[in-house]
């Protein structure tokens, strides 16, 4: 899927004893998914992101603009 240009935040949670995955470019998305390992969190985050994009497209909603790092010279 070529639209995966959105940032994912992966952070360990002592309380939940797992890695939490956030998708901050999507409004109302604090923590979207999780994983017991970092690799599992990445895979689940990608799956959640793909599902969100499909959901937006099915509902005819415009995708939010991705936060893109731009170097300033």
């Amino acid at each position: 899927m070529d639209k995966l240009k959105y940032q994912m935040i992966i952070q360990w949670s002592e309380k939940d004893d797992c890695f939490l995955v956030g998708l901050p470019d999507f409004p109302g998305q604090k923590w979207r998914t999780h994983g017991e390992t970092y690799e599992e969190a990445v895979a689940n985050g990608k799956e959640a992101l793909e599902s969100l994009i499909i959901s937006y497209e099915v509902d005819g909603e415009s995708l939010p603009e991705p936060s893109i790092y731009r170097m300033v010279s």
Side-chain angles (χ1 to χ4, degrees):
M1 184 171 270
D2 64 339
K3 297 179 183 179
L4 298 181
K5 294 181 181 176
Y6 292 97
Q7 63 177 316
M8 237 186 335
I9 295 175
I10 300 174
Q11 184 172 354
W12 177 255
S13 170
E14 289 288 336
K15 177 184 170 196
D16 300 303
D17 195 34
C18 66
F19 289 93
L20 300 178
V21 181
L23 303 170
D25 291 330
F26 287 84
Q29 302 295 320
K30 177 66 176 171
W31 298 113
R32 183 67 183 177
T33 190
H34 66 280
E36 290 186 23
T37 66
Y38 190 87
E39 292 77 13
E40 183 179 322
V42 170
N44 291 344
K46 287 172 69 176
E47 184 177 303
L49 184 53
E50 289 170 348
S51 294
L52 267 175
I53 290 171
I54 289 167
S55 176
Y56 269 67
E57 290 174 345
V58 166
D59 292 342
E61 296 181 49
S62 297
L63 289 170
E65 286 294 315
S67 299
I68 298 174
Y69 177 77
R70 289 181 173 76
M71 289 188 61
V72 179
S73 343

